[in-house]
Amino acid sequence: MERSWVRATSLETLKEKGRFLLRHEGKQVAIFHTPGGVFACSNRCPHEGYPLMEGSLDDGPDGAGCRLTCNWHSWRFNLRDGSTEEGDRVRVYPVRTEAGEVLLDLSDPPAEQRISEALTALKDALRRRDRGRIAREIARLENAGGNPLSAVTHAIRETAPRFAYGMSHAQAAANDWLALRADYARTPAERLVPLVEIVDHLIDDSLSEAPRPFAQEAEPFDAANLEQAILASDDEAASRLIRGALAQGLGWPDMEPAFARAALHHYADFGHSAIYTYKTGRLLERLGHDALEPLALLLTRALCEAWREDLIPEFRAYKPALEAWDGAGRTPVSSEDFRGLGVKQALRRALESSGKTHALYQALLGAAAYNFLHFDLSLERRVDLKPSESKTWLSFTHAITFANAGRNLAERYPDLWPAVLLQLACFVGRNAGAVSNEPLEREWAPKDGKAFLDGAFKMLFDHGNPEPIVTAHLVKLSTAIKEEIAAAPQASWRDTLLAALARFLANPPHRPQVLRLATQAIRFVEQES
Ligand code: FES
């Protein structure tokens, strides 16, 4: 590595004052004369940026005479290597004294070293959930010429074993954050925001969980066996098959059909299984093969752990409807046909148009958009409802994100259309009981739909919401709406869906619902005693 020595000051001046601030080409370097020698570090404290020149020196616990304490919040740095117990290290510079002069090497270490250091430091930042440092490490990675998306892959890999129930919205929304970055980020800070959001959500969802390692052994891959292992909720066996696929050099296209069929085999997990499967494929297109192992294992676990909604009385009509599907229903269909229908009736109505796949999908998505726009907001604040009666915005947003995921999967695997359409009918039927029929579309439909949707995305760069899960739903929902409109620009439900998004943004989810929780808890305890 080529050194680039810069004269800072004379040794005599430094000795006299004990410290010296060098300003050089936009850098500020604090130089200290200590009992342990002469040391130099960046003048900006990595905590909040205050000047380390104003810090206090002492010998440190090892008596080496080179500990610097920042006087603002007492972060303590070892000036030999810049390390600190508190968090982010400070950059230090090699120093040499020669002929009574103090010389500093201000050149950057080789790119590979800086990239590797940034990724190692990111691991520590993840452990501490230090959002500021996460942002800095990703910025350092990019500044060194590294791919900033590798920070996302790194974070997915590091946190994966702590997702005891497999994939969550943290990974699923990552694709949509990266889409936002690609389509809307205009400044370096905006390009960094989605990466920090993704990593922060990964930590939020994984910090409290005890590690649950994945199976390490490999078994020869077989798509049918993977699907069966998932349906049997056998995470160990399914993970071994994933390991086998990876060892055989197989990729996502080899695994996706089994995942898609397993995800839609049951009406499961309130649509999450299908959403996660679709988003995993999209995310892998952005992150590349390096992310396949953790994402495939996380998805496997999530599908193995999925709840079976079709076993709940409300959705028991689903399986018989699927069995009755013959693709022969010829009745023309529109979204109005589903208005006010409960789950059973919605399934029956869907069967009547089973031969009109595309029209039925459009009608069901239109009905889901209508329900979404007309959600009776008073229900979200009701505290006297049983858990089974409780409805929130998420009941409606999931219908849209499920539709988007289901359509994309069914277009690749057409045998999945019956499951997608009937599951969408379950969403529509379930939500129909929580809508008011006020005429809301004129009030909420944006004048310029494209400008409105662009604005909704741009707002995500500075949303101010403290809960990653809420913002993840917002980015997922906006992305699903954008994709559905792009797939059917002339669709009759377009304005309804945009109006629903506008109303949703103006009336954000009422969270956390502690009064409802407390009311339900008291009722539960009364009934058990
Ligand atoms: S700014 Fe230095 S410790 Fe806070």
Side-chain angles (χ1 to χ4, degrees):
M1 188 185 89
E2 189 117 334
R3 298 261 185 204
S4 152
W5 294 100
V6 171
R7 180 192 177 274
T9 182
S10 70
L11 188 55
E12 194 182 332
T13 306
L14 180 65
K15 274 185 180 163
E16 201 178 295
K17 303 205 167 150
R19 54 190 68 192
F20 181 85
L21 181 67
L22 171 69
R23 288 189 170 86
H24 181 81
E25 294 180 353
K27 282 190 169 90
Q28 285 193 17
V29 182
I31 308 168
F32 299 95
H33 189 271
T34 79
V38 177
F39 297 98
C41 69
S42 167
N43 188 37
R44 282 172 62 80
C45 177
H47 179 219
E48 288 185 0
Y50 288 104
L52 287 172
M53 264 297 280
E54 305 300 329
S56 302
L57 285 167
D58 64 45
D59 287 348
D62 56 1
C66 58
R67 181 166 72 175
L68 175 70
T69 301
C70 176
N71 285 334
W72 270 266
H73 312 99
S74 296
W75 280 31
R76 284 162 299 187
F77 301 93
N78 181 339
L79 286 175
R80 287 186 190 281
D81 58 8
S83 61
T84 175
E85 285 298 309
E86 280 77 17
D88 195 0
R89 67 208 178 281
V90 66
R91 176 157 180 201
V92 293
Y93 298 91
V95 180
R96 126 172 113 89
T97 53
E98 194 176 280
E101 305 287 354
V102 178
L103 304 173
L104 304 187
D105 173 16
L106 299 180
S107 58
D108 288 329
E112 308 77 56
Q113 180 185 332
R114 292 164 64 203
I115 291 168
S116 155
E117 282 173 0
L119 287 173
T120 305
L122 181 62
K123 197 168 164 175
D124 188 49
L126 293 174
R127 188 175 58 77
R128 296 171 189 263
R129 196 177 184 180
D130 182 340
R131 201 185 273 145
R133 190 172 169 205
I134 288 166
R136 278 195 297 278
E137 299 303 352
I138 301 174
R140 282 175 179 141
L141 176 68
E142 187 163 19
N143 189 262
N147 177 2
L149 266 55
S150 66
V152 173
T153 303
H154 187 79
I156 288 173
R157 187 180 292 282
E158 283 295 321
T159 54
R162 298 193 83 95
F163 280 81
Y165 301 98
M167 184 168 284
S168 78
H169 285 296
Q171 294 89 5
N175 170 70
D176 302 338
W177 280 115
L178 294 181
L180 174 82
R181 182 177 189 268
D183 295 344
Y184 292 99
R186 295 289 173 264
T187 65
E190 286 180 352
R191 282 194 286 279
L192 185 53
V193 166
L195 309 180
V196 177
E197 293 280 4
I198 294 168
V199 175
D200 191 49
H201 195 173
L202 287 167
I203 302 167
D204 196 58
D205 277 12
S206 61
L207 264 190
S208 61
E209 302 288 350
R212 183 181 166 196
F214 296 101
Q216 289 303 314
E217 313 78 52
E219 200 172 297
F221 180 74
D222 178 275
N225 289 349
L226 175 61
E227 187 180 339
Q228 281 314 311
I230 291 172
L231 293 177
S233 301
D234 190 342
D235 177 49
E236 285 282 317
S239 299
R240 286 198 300 271
L241 290 162
I242 296 298
R243 295 248 184 245
L246 293 167
Q248 290 165 249
L250 302 179
W252 174 250
D254 303 292
M255 303 174 191
E256 188 188 59
F259 279 128
R261 296 203 168 87
L264 285 155
H265 190 89
H266 302 295
Y267 179 50
D269 223 7
F270 201 42
H272 287 87
S273 297
I275 294 167
Y276 292 172
T277 302
Y278 170 54
K279 296 296 182 186
T280 298
R282 299 303 309 270
L283 182 57
L284 283 165
E285 286 168 20
R286 296 177 192 279
L287 295 182
H289 189 79
D290 280 358
L292 178 59
E293 178 189 326
L295 286 176
L297 290 169
L298 284 161
L299 179 61
T300 299
R301 180 164 289 171
L303 299 194
C304 286
E305 296 282 343
W307 310 320
R308 289 277 307 277
E309 245 98 34
D310 50 7
L311 299 178
I312 298 171
E314 190 179 8
F315 301 110
R316 273 201 196 130
Y318 169 72
K319 268 277 168 275
L322 188 62
E323 282 157 16
W325 182 282
D326 58 7
R330 293 275 162 231
T331 309
V333 63
S334 73
S335 62
E336 286 78 15
D337 296 335
F338 290 91
R339 206 161 288 174
L341 300 188
V343 172
K344 237 187 209 164
Q345 298 104 311
L347 288 167
R348 205 176 302 136
R349 179 63 194 82
L351 286 175
E352 289 170 16
S353 303
S354 63
K356 296 180 169 292
T357 302
H358 182 70
L360 182 54
Y361 175 73
Q362 294 298 320
L364 284 164
L365 180 53
Y370 178 89
N371 288 348
F372 182 22
L373 172 61
H374 292 86
F375 173 37
D376 179 355
L377 287 176
S378 68
L379 291 175
E380 206 178 38
R381 287 178 179 258
R382 286 268 298 274
V383 297
D384 56 338
L385 299 172
K386 296 180 198 156
S388 59
E389 297 165 335
S390 300
K391 292 284 191 306
T392 69
W393 271 121
L394 298 189
S395 312
F396 296 84
T397 61
H398 274 103
I400 306 300
T401 46
F402 170 80
N404 170 245
R407 175 184 65 77
N408 276 283
L409 292 173
E411 282 179 350
R412 292 164 76 88
Y413 309 105
D415 58 302
L416 294 177
W417 270 120
V420 168
L421 293 167
L422 291 173
Q423 291 185 25
L424 189 50
C426 288
F427 275 99
V428 168
R430 177 177 194 257
N431 290 339
V435 304
S436 75
N437 288 319
E438 292 171 72
L440 292 171
E441 189 158 326
R442 188 172 295 180
E443 182 185 343
W444 289 100
K447 282 194 181 62
D448 180 340
K450 183 180 178 318
F452 162 72
L453 198 50
D454 287 346
F457 277 109
K458 287 178 192 163
M459 180 270 294
L460 287 163
F461 287 116
D462 193 21
H463 53 78
N465 192 320
E467 283 187 280
I469 184 67
V470 172
T471 321
H473 278 97
L474 194 48
V475 70
K476 260 175 359 90
L477 173 67
S478 305
T479 306
I481 290 174
K482 188 179 175 192
E483 288 184 6
E484 289 310 296
I485 289 175
Q490 306 304 327
S492 59
W493 43 256
R494 180 181 179 275
D495 287 351
T496 311
L497 196 45
L498 290 172
L501 179 62
R503 186 168 176 253
F504 174 67
L505 293 176
N507 297 276
H510 180 62
R511 285 170 64 96
Q513 295 166 305
V514 183
L515 186 58
R516 179 189 281 183
L517 190 88
T519 307
Q520 289 170 348
I522 287 166
R523 188 187 293 159
F524 186 90
V525 171
E526 280 171 359
Q527 287 173 352
E528 73 181 356
S529 57

